[in-house]
Amino acid sequence: PDLVISEAFPALSDPRIFERLHLPDEMRAAVSTTCRRVCGTAAKRFLNLHEYQGMELLRSHGVDVPAGAMATTAEGAKKVAEDLFGSKSLEKVVVKSQIHAGGRGKGVFKNGFQGGVHVANSAEEAGDLAGKMLGQILVTKQTGDAGKEVKYVLVNEGIDITDELYFAILMDRSVHQGPVIVASTEGGMNIEEVAEKTPEAIVTEPIDIDEGVTLAKAESVAERLNFTGELKEKAAKNIVGLYDLFVKTDATQVEINPLAVTRDGMVYAADAKLNFDDNAAYRQKDLFAMRDIASEDPRDVEAEDAGLNYIGLDGSIGCMVNGAGLAMATMDIIHLFGGSPANFLDVGGGATKEQVTTAFKILVSDSNVKTILVNIFGGIMKCDVIAAGIVAAYQEVGMTMPVVVRLEGTNVEEGKRILSEASIGVIAADDLEQAAQIAVAEAKKAGAA
């Protein structure tokens, strides 16, 4: 999150910014928490690939990855395993559930089956394991209680790892003003922990975008990671391939953890996290066509289709605001008065009545939401349009939860008149402070923690 924040809002990485703003301690904590969560989440919104898709991308750019393939049925998984056992002298294969969430190995299926990652010693066992995963709901530390349905499994060769390293290429606009290699001999664990406890184990190498990553530079990085001989050559080859992928796919992050050394003398990208610049979607059509919308939060998809900026959180007060800055301030003041925002939702400056109605539908679809706070400062966005959208939403959605509305700016009197004449029971507030206090009180009254 710190790296994401420094890219989007450099000042927010510096705790001194709160001192310069003369914020009280409780507000500093609220601002910091909100910024970190929103910025960190926003970076992941547009394209999230499954592991098997990432492995296919790596392989297509000359990076060595464990052999394997995706399957959607138990029989298909068995066939993949048969091919792997038949083509290689393997003792085991690994069957991995494919969902957009971490912690799969320690997850639990709602059918009672334990773990979303398993080792199989035969093709029959691989098929049996896949049958227990496919079509089932896997709950992990990142999915929440609802879990996610497993529609695909990745079956790949089991590799005998003797050493684990960390390797990443990141787009770092704040310090290096371009791509940078970040690597460590301490792989297979949280790189933030490595940076904190043993910073000397971190290798950093800025990349000249005109020169790129030459074989000589790749070998130099490999040496700094203690690779020698044939292993150095194999590691350097993978490093060159990873940069090729980084550039040609408009990636913002290519993270390999672990970069694995095996007993038979191979260097594999054993697991990958790939992020891409969504602004490049127009020229990366094949890549963005890999997006699995069915595996995403339907609220995110609906918001994107409606042209709304929405990020779901886990609080109890739904927020609808115009403008990202005002949305952040609204979330901060909710925290200040002891509440918790359920989302970031910016309807923008030119929202229509239909978009406002859609925004309300998204908010009420969240079972955690106990009350809704609408905070509009009308400039380009007119208060009467928001008011009309609120009335339409009440009629279409059948609103039952409290809605607190603060309107100010262009056509504010007309907006207030529309809400008053509709007699739909919204709670009017004169300013943001009052609105936040009322919203927090209503949420707590409805049972919010």
Side-chain angles (χ1 to χ4, degrees):
D2 287 336
L3 178 63
V4 175
I5 292 169
S6 67
E7 286 191 48
F9 305 101
L12 297 178
S13 297
D14 185 351
R16 292 171 298 177
I17 187 65
F18 302 122
E19 296 174 11
R20 293 196 291 269
L21 291 174
H22 305 292
L23 296 177
D25 290 341
E26 63 271 21
M27 180 62 95
R28 292 186 197 184
V31 171
S32 178
T33 298
T34 298
C35 289
R36 288 172 186 271
R37 293 173 67 193
V38 171
C39 294
T41 306
K44 304 173 186 174
R45 175 176 175 182
F46 287 95
L47 181 60
N48 195 358
L49 298 183
H50 287 294
E51 181 184 3
Y52 79 87
Q53 295 171 314
M55 289 298 175
E56 290 172 359
L57 270 179
L58 293 172
R59 191 179 289 116
S60 69
H61 287 270
V63 179
D64 293 321
V65 298
M70 178 270 290
T72 57
T73 64
E75 191 60 35
K78 178 182 176 181
K79 178 65 169 62
V80 172
E82 286 175 346
D83 292 343
L84 289 172
F85 280 116
S87 62
K88 293 196 170 193
S89 180
L90 297 180
E91 296 181 358
K92 60 188 177 182
V93 295
V94 183
V95 183
K96 301 181 179 182
S97 56
Q98 301 290 286
I99 60 171
H100 289 326
R104 293 170 296 166
K106 296 181 180 180
V108 179
F109 286 89
K110 288 194 172 182
N111 63 1
F113 187 57
Q114 300 285 320
V117 178
H118 286 271
V119 173
N121 298 307
S122 68
E124 289 74 16
E125 185 181 4
D128 181 60
L129 288 167
K132 294 175 180 177
M133 298 180 189
L134 289 164
Q136 301 299 321
I137 304 298
L138 178 60
V139 179
T140 78
K141 61 183 180 181
Q142 291 188 9
T143 65
D145 294 338
K148 289 183 178 290
E149 181 183 355
V150 176
K151 298 181 179 180
Y152 318 95
V153 293
L154 170 63
V155 183
N156 62 16
E157 65 173 305
I159 56 178
D160 192 357
I161 299 175
T162 59
D163 195 12
E164 295 183 333
L165 300 92
Y166 174 91
F167 182 89
I169 303 175
L170 311 170
M171 183 62 75
D172 181 10
R173 296 180 177 91
S174 61
V175 178
H176 297 96
Q177 316 240 324
V180 60
I181 291 173
V182 178
S184 174
T185 54
E186 305 291 328
M189 59 187 294
N190 191 320
I191 193 63
E192 285 81 8
E193 291 181 18
V194 177
E196 181 180 346
K197 296 177 181 178
T198 55
E200 67 277 5
I202 302 290
V203 171
T204 303
E205 182 71 31
I207 300 171
D208 183 329
I209 59 173
D210 292 322
E211 181 183 85
V213 175
T214 63
L215 185 58
K217 180 184 280 287
E219 289 178 344
S220 173
V221 172
E223 287 176 357
R224 294 171 67 186
L225 294 173
N226 300 329
F227 284 107
T228 60
E230 289 187 8
L231 287 179
K232 183 181 81 171
E233 294 177 8
K234 292 175 180 178
K237 166 186 169 292
N238 283 334
I239 291 171
V240 171
L242 288 167
Y243 184 69
D244 183 65
L245 180 149
F246 182 86
V247 172
K248 291 182 178 177
T249 62
D250 288 298
T252 56
Q253 173 178 285
V254 173
E255 181 185 62
I256 308 301
N257 191 19
L259 182 64
V261 180
T262 64
R263 194 171 300 281
D264 59 355
M266 291 297 297
V267 179
Y268 284 124
D271 200 358
K273 179 180 179 182
L274 310 176
N275 289 343
F276 305 92
D277 187 347
D278 54 277
N279 292 307
Y282 74 95
R283 67 182 185 193
Q284 297 287 352
K285 290 184 172 59
D286 290 343
L287 176 64
F288 278 76
M290 297 170 71
R291 179 182 176 188
D292 183 11
I293 292 177
S295 294
E296 297 181 19
D297 187 327
R299 296 172 301 174
D300 291 345
V301 176
E302 186 177 8
E304 186 180 343
D305 289 344
L308 302 169
N309 297 309
Y310 172 87
I311 300 166
L313 301 173
D314 55 6
S316 58
I317 299 176
C319 303
M320 186 174 74
V321 191
N322 66 314
L326 186 58
M328 297 288 276
T330 303
M331 296 165 71
D332 292 338
I333 201 166
I334 287 172
H335 272 295
L336 182 63
F337 289 117
S340 181
N343 62 275
F344 169 98
L345 198 162
D346 168 21
V347 298
T352 63
K353 183 179 76 171
E354 290 72 26
Q355 285 177 303
V356 173
T357 303
T358 299
F360 263 94
K361 290 179 179 178
I362 293 171
L363 294 181
V364 299
S365 70
D366 184 347
S367 60
N368 291 325
V369 172
K370 305 301 181 184
T371 188
I372 293 174
L373 171 55
V374 180
N375 181 26
I376 300 297
F377 190 86
I380 300 174
M381 182 73 254
K382 296 179 175 58
C383 293
D384 57 323
V385 173
I386 292 291
I390 293 173
V391 173
Y394 261 84
Q395 295 170 344
E396 290 187 31
V397 179
M399 296 286 294
T400 57
M401 67 181 67
V403 176
V404 183
V405 179
R406 179 257 185 167
L407 297 177
E408 193 59 70
T410 305
N411 294 353
V412 62
E413 296 304 325
E414 176 64 11
K416 290 180 177 180
R417 184 192 64 78
I418 291 172
L419 292 177
S420 176
E421 292 183 359
S423 299
I424 53 179
V426 298
I427 304 171
D430 295 326
D431 55 46
L432 178 54
E433 182 174 336
Q434 183 190 45
Q437 289 175 320
I438 294 172
V440 172
E442 290 293 332
K444 289 182 178 180
K445 194 187 302 181

